[in-house]
Amino acid sequence: MARINDNYLKLKAGYLFPEIGRRVREFTDANPSAKVIRLGIGDVTLPLVPAVIKAFHAAVDDLAKGETFHGYGPEQGYSWLIDTIIDKAYKPLGVSLKTSEMFISDGSKCDCSNILDIFDNANVVAIGDPVYPVYNDTNVMVGRTGEADEKGYYENIVYLPCTAENDFSPAFPKEKVDIIYLCSPNNPTGTVTTREQLKGWVDFARKNDAIIFFDAAYEAFITESDIPRSIYEIDGAKECAIEFRSFSKTAGFTGVRCGLTVVPENLLATTAKGEKVALNKLWNRRQSTKFNGVSYPVQKAAQAVYSDEGWPQVKEVIDYYMDNARIIREGLTAAGIQCFGGVNAPYIWLKTPEGMSSWDFFDKLLTECHVVGTPGSGFGPSGEGYFRLSAFGDKGNVVKAVDRIKQKWGK
Ligand SMILES: *Cc1c(COP(=O)(O)O)cnc(C)c1O
């Protein structure tokens, strides 16, 4: 009989969102008239902007005519899209990239999982705690870890606790690590890595021959001027970092699917024998073999995000979500609840009042305020005692939810 990849059995069952769904259903079945407001989702809610839709439609029409039909495109993505992104999203940051350093994909969840293909399992990986669960689980799947302990920490992963005590900026690992995942603006905490902190990580990585995986999925939500949007704003990052970006949250592409990965040509790692190899070449080989590119209409739609017509429309949607974030942050703070994030990210990470556990607060918020959020403990042991609210909702509902929370907890 064929053998499975036993590493999959080490994974904890996807417990968080099914459990949230179960508790919400149980409550609404018992209280059918309750108007439940969901601020738990990590998905956008507003439609694609008109300029994107126009480009999407036009590209579909191209496919209907022989002269403009497109079959397979380059596995790396069309150069007109790559060059537009370099010009509009990196150049203004003072970052210059070559076309060959960027790879278009169907989203950054896949990329930050697939990247493990080109690294040996002997590498020691460091991830934040709490964390976007994909970083942890994909390392379990490839067999880099042992079993999980009773807290949920896997053997052979170095966890970097991020809590209010360290301002959500973890200390450098004491043990030797080879790969470090950083996510800024952060999901779930909504906090950001400052320029100085990011410089610290780049210097640390270079000194210790480590590689940083920098997930910048929420860079478009940064409002403060000196927060880095790309790790390549830091000197030396092209020698130590891979960056992931996505159109999902930036432009509402969660259902459309488009992302990108930057692998600078100067980024090296070693073979078993100690010879240095360019990771760009390996990633290119991996993508050319296992991936056949993102569809032409999707890439046209993505390019329109950065057009003169598209960007202001996209920015308006981002501002709408960030105004929701402000309403949540200010409202909860007024109710005496300690909040983090929500200034440069569409997530508010709150400290549960009265020392409640994350799940106790979930139940109280659901049954007394009819508001759904996400228990922080679902993102890792250090998330216990915290709770995530998302700003990706309807403003009227956000205002209502905040009023209910204020009535309950406000003095
Ligand atoms: C939403 C999200 C992504 C984007 O994933 P896609 O596959 O591009 O939709 C990446 N990283 C984090 C932390 C996210 O929250």
Side-chain angles (χ1 to χ4, degrees):
M1 202 179 268
R3 287 256 325 253
I4 63 155
N5 176 350
D6 281 356
N7 297 308
Y8 276 64
L9 302 184
K10 296 176 190 164
L11 295 165
K12 297 273 185 39
Y15 160 79
L16 180 62
F17 289 99
E19 179 61 17
I20 291 173
R22 192 190 65 75
R23 293 193 193 200
V24 173
R25 256 191 323 277
E26 195 176 275
F27 176 75
T28 49
D29 286 350
N31 304 273
S33 63
K35 296 225 169 355
V36 172
I37 298 175
R38 288 160 206 269
L39 301 182
I41 39 158
D43 194 0
V44 297
T45 54
L46 292 176
L48 297 175
V49 301
V52 166
I53 288 295
K54 196 163 85 183
F56 217 163
H57 276 295
V60 172
D61 288 339
D62 284 348
L63 299 181
K65 291 171 293 218
E67 318 85 74
T68 48
F69 172 75
H70 285 70
Y72 286 129
E75 291 95 346
Q76 300 81 358
Y78 286 106
S79 59
W80 40 257
L81 174 58
I82 295 174
D83 291 341
T84 299
I85 297 169
I86 290 174
D87 195 47
K88 302 286 185 176
Y90 281 94
K91 224 194 217 158
L93 307 177
V95 174
S96 58
L97 293 172
K98 293 186 198 162
T99 310
S100 55
E101 294 181 305
M102 186 178 291
F103 299 82
I104 303 299
S105 74
D106 56 347
S108 65
K109 186 192 207 176
C110 337
D111 284 354
C112 64
S113 315
N114 293 335
I115 196 76
L116 297 179
D117 261 19
I118 63 169
F119 289 94
D120 190 85
N121 268 3
N123 288 302
V124 177
V125 160
I127 65 175
D129 166 33
V131 75
Y132 180 53
V134 176
Y135 310 153
N136 186 81
D137 290 0
T138 53
N139 276 286
V140 176
M141 288 172 172
V142 298
R144 182 166 286 120
T145 75
E147 300 287 341
D149 66 16
E150 69 286 349
K151 279 180 101 172
Y153 288 132
Y154 285 85
E155 194 187 357
N156 299 342
I157 289 186
V158 174
Y159 291 91
L160 308 173
C162 304
T163 60
E165 285 69 43
N166 62 16
D167 224 1
F168 303 95
S169 166
F172 298 125
K174 291 197 186 60
E175 45 282 84
K176 166 80 183 123
V177 300
D178 305 293
I179 294 169
I180 302 158
Y181 288 80
L182 296 179
C183 178
S184 176
N186 192 270
N187 178 13
T189 68
T191 57
V192 282
T193 307
T194 65
R195 193 168 295 275
E196 201 183 355
Q197 288 163 345
L198 196 55
K199 182 177 182 325
W201 280 109
V202 168
D203 292 347
F204 176 86
R206 295 187 73 194
K207 203 162 120 218
N208 294 282
D209 277 330
I211 287 180
I212 297 172
F213 291 171
F214 190 72
D215 186 342
Y218 295 93
E219 57 80 25
F221 294 83
I222 293 174
T223 62
E224 291 178 313
S225 59
D226 200 42
I227 303 298
R229 292 165 181 266
S230 164
I231 195 166
Y232 305 118
E233 292 179 54
I234 310 295
D235 280 342
K238 282 189 187 170
E239 279 82 53
C240 69
I242 292 175
E243 179 162 294
F244 305 97
R245 284 193 178 195
S246 172
F247 286 85
S248 284
K249 318 298 166 32
T250 302
F253 274 46
T254 51
V256 175
R257 311 306 306 143
C258 195
L260 65 96
T261 293
V262 177
V263 187
E265 287 182 344
N266 292 343
L267 182 61
L268 308 176
T270 68
T271 64
K273 288 194 189 123
E275 293 145 10
K276 292 192 166 137
V277 174
L279 290 172
N280 180 284
K281 284 208 176 66
L282 292 193
W283 184 244
N284 189 36
R285 189 69 173 80
R286 190 266 171 215
Q287 290 297 82
S288 312
T289 302
K290 294 198 181 183
F291 185 59
N292 249 338
V294 179
S295 80
Y296 168 78
V298 165
Q299 293 192 64
K300 279 287 184 186
Q303 188 185 31
V305 167
Y306 290 108
S307 69
D308 291 345
E309 193 192 347
W311 185 250
Q313 296 171 355
V314 166
K315 189 67 180 53
E316 199 179 314
V317 174
I318 292 171
D319 290 347
Y320 175 92
Y321 293 137
M322 288 311 289
D323 195 47
N324 286 349
R326 181 190 58 77
I327 292 166
I328 298 171
R329 192 167 36 81
E330 291 179 357
L332 267 59
T333 305
I337 296 174
Q338 199 182 7
C339 292
F340 307 93
V343 177
N344 297 297
Y347 298 117
I348 284 80
W349 188 245
L350 63 93
K351 186 93 194 74
T352 56
E354 297 142 29
M356 260 180 273
S357 77
S358 298
W359 276 111
D360 284 349
F361 184 71
F362 175 91
D363 288 333
K364 214 172 172 68
L365 198 62
L366 173 61
T367 55
E368 298 183 17
C369 301
H370 307 171
V371 173
V372 180
T374 314
S377 55
F379 297 101
S382 296
E384 179 57 271
Y386 293 90
F387 199 80
R388 193 189 77 176
L389 292 175
S390 155
F392 287 130
D394 170 78
K395 193 168 311 289
N397 280 339
V398 165
V399 169
K400 266 188 226 150
V402 168
D403 280 345
R404 292 180 195 169
I405 295 171
K406 270 181 164 168
Q407 271 172 33
K408 167 76 193 149
W409 275 283
K411 302 280 160 357

